[in-house]
DNA sequence: CTGAAAGCGCTAACAT
DNA sequence: ATGTTAGCGCTTTCAG
């Protein structure tokens, strides 16, 4: 910057003002400085600028992953989420610092914040760490979590309407004549618990009794669907439908069903969750519950920036939508 | 830091030394300072530290995406790549700044570098921008690109052995008795061009003539496989196998084949590329060429850090491996 | 409208 | 072993 100033025959202060479009600088001077900066391919050093300004226009995005299997990052849903958040951040002129964190502890979630690298943190998924997240919020860390709204929650969440999502999926299956609907998911995760509630609601509304034998606790890993189907078969319980808590689970469940000679959707109807890119290209095309990724990204970013600027941010629930294709059967 | 110094009864310099494990500080003093810092939950401000040190222990990872369709980010392969690079970066104590860039222009690829936010850039895919990348390298930007090695290349690449990959896949199909092997991919992309060369080599080695009608130029988008199969049928050309340049392409091709009553692998054998997570869970399980993501991440990071430290970095090719499952048929 | 000077939070000579 | 001082690259009062 000193160089630019010297060559332009002005002070550094003027260069700074010119490059930041300050109204206090003569239009012609600005023109000259801007031009010169470009020919020298000079860029303001953001690090120094941030230090001076006491901010940094960067937010941390942390994706939990399973320390043991390193599996979590592999769900295409996360890529979608990343795209949504990244897009929203770019729109606001913020950068994105990506880090991964052990899903079981969420240790180090705020490290980029504590060390001043980022102004706030977006966490994808709350996992089993409700209390720990409350503690972070109590410390005043600007934080938005993708997940479910829970009682006694001090932190800000943005999430889909999981209860309705579960209801829509289950009601669809029931409406197509299914009576024995299995549930695949780990209800220790808040979002899954809500989807399970929706599932139960729909069953009861149809006069059906949720059968505990039909609920299989599988984690969000690719082979979850395989395991779930095997477990169901091992239990020897009758079922004519599956509501799986992710498309990945649904897809691998469908493949395992096929391996056992069950036709989808004729013998077993399957509904997934997320509506990932591949869902409509699968065979059979997946009936699934869509989560609005782009809106989600925007909503999370907006809330985080509110917090960063000292404005209070309230949690938010986004609508979910049933996308009817073929795997869920038809009436 | 001033506070810590005051409360510990030492100077800021000592605090700095203590917290950075300098050997020039008394063990007992260090102990006291460290303790105090913890109770005050004080963390060194990395931004200031970086400014002072003239470095920042951050690298930019840029993922090209298609401005029009925003589709590129959606290939699960990229998520895998991101995981590989992220892991390697974490091992070295570097942070990862993620940004997206228009794949057709790669404009702004080095913006995070020019503005001093990152010490170097990793670019996933070279697309059609060989010349532009050469220009960046000439400017001295520390840069590693995931892609193919090309003649007259001034920048550093790390990539799979695409020629061998193409050969392995095609030879496998030929070995299984296929004679009319179609190729799905856009050979304007250097990596795809190499795979095509491998494909051609394998055909010629088997005494077969590559038929231009069997080469379909499809982009890396999910519906590419659909389009490819339709195009093949439209051309009315006979084919008994497809080598697709990504698993996504292979999967959607298989679904489209099914829609037209062709059984995979009996009627048409299909081999994909990448070995994404879902490949082994697909139906039929995908025979595919694996790219070593973890090694790739490590190799790219190592080369980038070399450049950052002023050491020269040479391009590198990683071995690829054919993973035989079912979609490619069997002899 | 422009310049001089102070300071963001930190570290590395250089002293002691 | 510790303290003093200067300065990383920038912005912003405060004077002119």
């Amino acid at each position: 910057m000193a160089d630019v100033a010297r060559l332009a025959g002005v002070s550094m202060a003027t260069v700074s003002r010119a490059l930041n479009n300050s109204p206090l600088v003569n239009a012609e001077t600005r023109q000259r400085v801007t031009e010169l900066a470009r020919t020298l391919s000079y860029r303001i050093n953001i690090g120094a600028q941030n230090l001076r300004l006491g901010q940094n226009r960067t937010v941390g995005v942390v994706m939990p992953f399973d320390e043991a299997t390193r599996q979590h990052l592999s769900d295409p849903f996360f890529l979608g989420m990343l795209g949504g958040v990244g897009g929203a951040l770019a729109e606001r002129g913020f950068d994105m610092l990506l880090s991964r964190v052990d899903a079981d502890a969420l240790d180090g979630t705020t490290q980029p914040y504590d060390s001043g690298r980022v102004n706030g943190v977006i966490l994808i998924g709350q996992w089993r760490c409700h209390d720990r997240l409350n503690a972070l919020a109590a410390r005043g860390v600007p934080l938005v979590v993708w997940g479910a709204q829970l009682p006694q929650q001090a932190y800000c969440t943005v999430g889909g309407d999981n209860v309705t999502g579960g209801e829509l999926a289950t009601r669809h299956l029931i409406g197509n004549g299914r009576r024995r609907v299995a549930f695949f998911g780990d209800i220790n995760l808040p979002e899954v618990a809500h989807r399970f509630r929706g599932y139960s609601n729909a069953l009861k509304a149809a006069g059906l009794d949720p059968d505990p034998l039909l609920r299989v606790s599988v984690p969000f890993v690719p082979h979850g669907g395989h395991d779930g189907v095997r477990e169901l078969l091992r239990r020897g319980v009758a079922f004519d439908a599956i509501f799986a808590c992710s498309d990945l689970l649904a897809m691998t469940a469908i493949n395992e069903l096929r391996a056992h000679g069950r036709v989808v959707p004729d013998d077993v109807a399957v509904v997934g969750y997320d509506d990932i890119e591949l869902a409509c290209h699968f065979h059979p095309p997946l009936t699934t519950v869509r989560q609005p990724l782009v809106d989600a990204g925007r909503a999370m970013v907006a809330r985080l920036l509110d917090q960063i600027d000292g404005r209070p941010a309230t949690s938010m629930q986004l609508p979910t939508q049933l996308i009817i294709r073929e795997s869920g059967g038809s009436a």
Side-chain angles (χ1 to χ4, degrees), chain A residues 12-329:
Chain A
M12 274 177 55
T14 303
V15 175
S16 171
R17 285 193 269 253
L19 264 29
N20 288 297
N21 293 315
S22 159
L24 293 84
V25 74
N26 187 307
E28 186 239 334
T29 312
R30 158 161 46 258
Q31 172 70 16
R32 195 157 42 86
V33 170
T34 313
E35 198 98 335
L36 186 58
R38 220 203 11 256
T39 60
L40 297 178
S41 71
Y42 163 83
R43 259 19 90 83
I44 287 181
N45 179 314
I46 306 269
Q49 185 181 56
N50 285 337
L51 177 59
R52 176 61 229 240
L53 264 38
Q55 49 129 64
N56 55 24
R57 296 194 78 75
T58 304
V59 329
V61 174
V62 355
M63 320 233 357
F65 76 113
D66 187 337
E67 189 69 61
T69 62
R70 304 187 53 163
Q71 291 271 19
H72 277 129
L73 258 178
S74 65
D75 194 318
F77 172 70
F78 285 134
L79 236 200
M81 205 72 229
L82 215 50
V85 173
L89 247 19
E91 282 171 9
R92 309 283 211 117
F94 270 69
D95 280 333
M96 168 159 85
L97 195 75
L98 187 64
S99 58
R100 310 165 319 150
V101 106
D102 181 354
D104 288 327
L106 263 39
D107 283 333
T109 299
T110 57
Q111 203 209 302
Y113 175 80
D114 295 328
S115 62
R117 266 182 136 75
V118 304
N119 286 329
V121 174
I122 290 177
L123 175 65
I124 311 297
Q126 66 207 130
W127 310 94
R128 298 173 192 81
C129 301
H130 186 56
D131 297 335
R132 191 178 296 250
L133 294 176
N134 268 334
L136 293 183
R139 267 184 43 207
V141 180
L143 174 70
V144 174
V145 179
W146 172 261
Q149 250 169 289
L150 260 29
Q152 258 110 54
Q153 170 180 301
Y155 55 94
C156 172
T157 52
V158 170
D161 182 346
N162 292 294
V163 176
T164 303
E167 260 173 34
L168 288 172
T170 312
R171 203 187 302 154
H172 176 71
L173 291 167
I174 296 170
N176 291 344
R178 312 299 163 143
R179 288 294 170 269
R180 304 281 302 163
V181 183
F183 180 92
F184 281 14
D186 176 359
I187 60 167
N188 289 313
L189 304 178
E191 293 181 82
V192 175
H194 283 187
R195 290 172 202 175
F196 183 71
R197 196 192 307 157
Y199 158 88
S200 302
N201 291 348
L203 287 179
K204 284 176 201 144
L208 299 169
D209 235 13
D211 181 348
L213 282 178
L214 286 172
R215 184 172 70 69
V216 186
S217 178
V218 292
F220 279 132
V221 295
H223 57 82
H226 289 244
D227 298 352
V229 169
R230 286 212 197 96
E231 175 63 18
L232 234 32
L233 296 174
R234 202 188 56 71
R235 290 182 189 171
V237 56
F239 63 99
D240 54 15
I242 297 173
F243 168 40
C245 278
S246 83
D247 285 345
L248 218 50
L249 249 33
M251 290 179 182
T252 58
I254 288 173
N255 286 321
E256 187 66 17
L257 287 169
R258 179 159 24 218
H260 291 279
R262 312 262 182 135
V263 176
V264 175
D266 301 4
D267 299 333
V268 181
V270 177
V271 174
Y273 214 99
D274 293 342
D275 194 26
I276 62 175
E277 197 79 47
L278 212 52
C280 66
H281 299 288
F282 202 71
H283 177 76
L286 230 54
T287 292
T288 185
V289 179
R290 176 180 297 167
Q291 308 228 58
L293 293 181
V294 173
D295 294 345
R298 267 200 261 272
M300 293 202 284
V301 168
R303 270 157 188 72
L304 189 65
L305 299 194
D306 278 349
Q307 288 181 56
I308 290 171
D309 295 343
R311 294 187 296 272
T314 54
S315 292
M316 170 183 216
Q317 204 169 55
L318 296 122
T320 47
Q321 188 188 359
L322 182 70
I323 306 294
I324 299 177
R325 298 202 182 93
E326 297 177 20
S327 69

